[in-house]
Amino acid sequence: VTAAWPLPSDDDVAFYEEHGWWVSPPLVPPELLAACNEAMDRVWSGHFDLGEAPNGYFNPGDDPGAIRKANNGWRATRAIRDLVFHAPIAACAARLLQCESIRLWEDQILDKPTGGDPSASVGWHTDWTYWGGSVAEPRMITAWVPYQDVNPTNGTLQFVDKSHRARIGDGSDFLATDRDAQLERILGEGGGDVVDVDMRAGQVSFHSPMLLHGSGPNLGPSARRATAVHLMDGALRSARRGETQHYNLDLLEAGGLRVGDAFELDQWPVLYPAP
Ligand SMILES: O=C(O)CCC(=O)C(=O)O
C-alpha cells in the first residue's frame, strides 16, 4: 500500500536521528489551517464548540503582548481535533520514532502576538524537562504545525541542532525571556548551532523531546500561530521519577490505571494506525 502523502524516507529518518529534528513537505491543507485559525479566535473568546475548556486558556485582561497558550485544544474545538487527528502527522511520527503505534500525549495551541514583546517569546527548553518525571523512556516526539509561513522575523521555532545528544536538562525553561543569556548559561563556552526553521504553511516540523528549542518575539505583521501536537509511542509506559510530574500521570491514575501502565485511555487516543 502506498501512502497518499510522502512519508519520511530512510535518509529523513537518519537526519532526524542525527539532528534531533526534521521538517516535512506540505502535509496540512490550507482549509484545515484556516479552520484552526478561526477556532483559536473562538477559544480565546471563551467559546468551545466541543463543550470543554482547554487547560490554561488565555483570560481577557492578560498581558496582550505575551504568548497565549492552552493545552488540549483538541477537546475544545472540532478544527483542532481534526488537525490532531490529521493522519499524515502521526504516520510521519511513527516512521521517525520507528514504532508500531502513536498516541497523543497532549496538544498545545500557541499564539504569539505581533509587536515584538519579549514576553511573546518561548524560553529555551527540552520537552523532556516537563515530561520525563512521568514516563519510562523518551519515546516521544513533537509535531509543530504553524498556521502561516514562519521565519526568523515572526518568531519561528528555533532548534539547537543535535542538542538531543547532549542530554541538556538544567536551565531549561519555557517561560524564560532572557533567551540569549539563558542559552549561554545552558550551553556554556562552546555554544551550539541555532537553526531557525523557515517553513511554508502546511509543512510540519518534528523534534525530539531531548532537543533544546524555543522561539523569539514576533516582529512580523500579524500573529504567529501554531499547534504543537505532542505524541508518544503507543506502547510507552508511565513512570514516576524525580520531583515533578506531568498532569497526565494524575489523569492516568484517576482513570483507574496504575503507574507503570501504558496510557491506554481515551484521553490519549491512538492516532496511528489511523482510527
Ligand atoms: O510555538 C513555539 O514557539 C514553541 C513550541 C514548542 O515549544 C514546542 O512545540 O515544543
Side-chain angles (χ1 to χ4, degrees):
V1 186
T2 40
W5 53 82
L7 285 172
S9 66
D10 289 346
D11 283 351
D12 295 333
V13 175
F15 181 96
Y16 175 78
E17 286 182 349
E18 184 186 350
H19 293 268
W21 58 275
W22 178 73
V23 177
S24 80
L27 290 182
V28 186
E31 311 77 65
L32 182 50
L33 295 175
C36 288
N37 198 43
E38 282 168 24
M40 200 184 276
D41 285 335
R42 287 198 300 275
V43 168
W44 300 148
S45 64
H47 297 289
F48 315 117
D49 54 75
L50 295 180
E52 197 171 317
N55 33 14
Y57 74 92
F58 170 79
N59 294 299
D62 286 355
D63 175 359
I67 195 157
R68 300 181 188 184
K69 160 171 119 61
N71 294 346
N72 289 322
W74 74 282
R75 296 173 71 101
T77 91
R78 167 62 55 188
I80 310 271
R81 187 188 169 87
D82 288 346
L83 180 65
V84 164
F85 278 80
H86 186 55
I89 296 176
C92 285
R95 269 287 287 155
L96 294 171
L97 268 187
Q98 298 181 70
C99 60
E100 311 259 298
S101 71
I102 290 282
R103 276 182 194 280
L104 180 66
W105 169 254
E106 68 181 357
D107 75 51
Q108 282 192 298
I109 58 173
L110 295 140
D111 187 358
K112 194 189 281 287
T114 186
D117 191 325
S119 60
S121 59
V122 170
W124 295 103
H125 67 282
T126 68
D127 297 331
W128 190 245
T129 302
Y130 301 100
W131 306 339
S134 311
V135 297
E137 295 170 86
R139 296 204 41 79
M140 306 175 85
I141 189 167
T142 292
W144 185 74
V145 188
Y147 296 1
Q148 64 295 298
D149 296 351
V150 284
N151 49 57
T153 307
N154 69 356
T156 191
L157 198 56
Q158 298 175 307
F159 298 131
V160 179
D161 193 36
K162 301 182 180 172
S163 55
H164 64 312
R165 299 269 168 99
R167 302 263 155 183
I168 293 159
D170 291 353
S172 180
D173 182 4
F174 188 101
L175 298 174
T177 50
D178 63 337
R179 298 180 70 247
D180 291 346
Q182 191 204 6
L183 196 58
E184 240 176 82
R185 284 196 300 274
I186 297 173
L187 296 177
E189 288 258 313
D193 288 333
V194 174
V195 180
D196 291 273
V197 294
D198 221 308
M199 292 162 66
R200 304 301 303 265
Q203 290 185 280
V204 177
S205 97
F206 292 84
H207 65 261
S208 156
M210 297 304 196
L211 193 78
L212 196 62
H213 62 282
S215 61
N218 177 4
L219 294 161
S222 52
R224 192 234 69 182
R225 291 179 159 184
T227 293
V229 186
H230 300 300
L231 302 167
M232 60 182 146
D233 179 338
L236 181 67
R237 294 186 175 276
S238 56
R240 185 187 300 278
R241 270 204 309 261
E243 282 166 25
T244 29
Q245 273 69 45
H246 189 273
Y247 63 80
N248 273 343
L249 207 61
D250 286 338
L251 291 175
L252 177 120
E253 291 186 297
L257 298 182
R258 295 208 190 121
V259 175
D261 290 342
F263 292 84
E264 291 174 343
L265 293 174
D266 293 346
Q267 172 77 28
W268 307 287
V270 173
L271 303 176
Y272 178 86

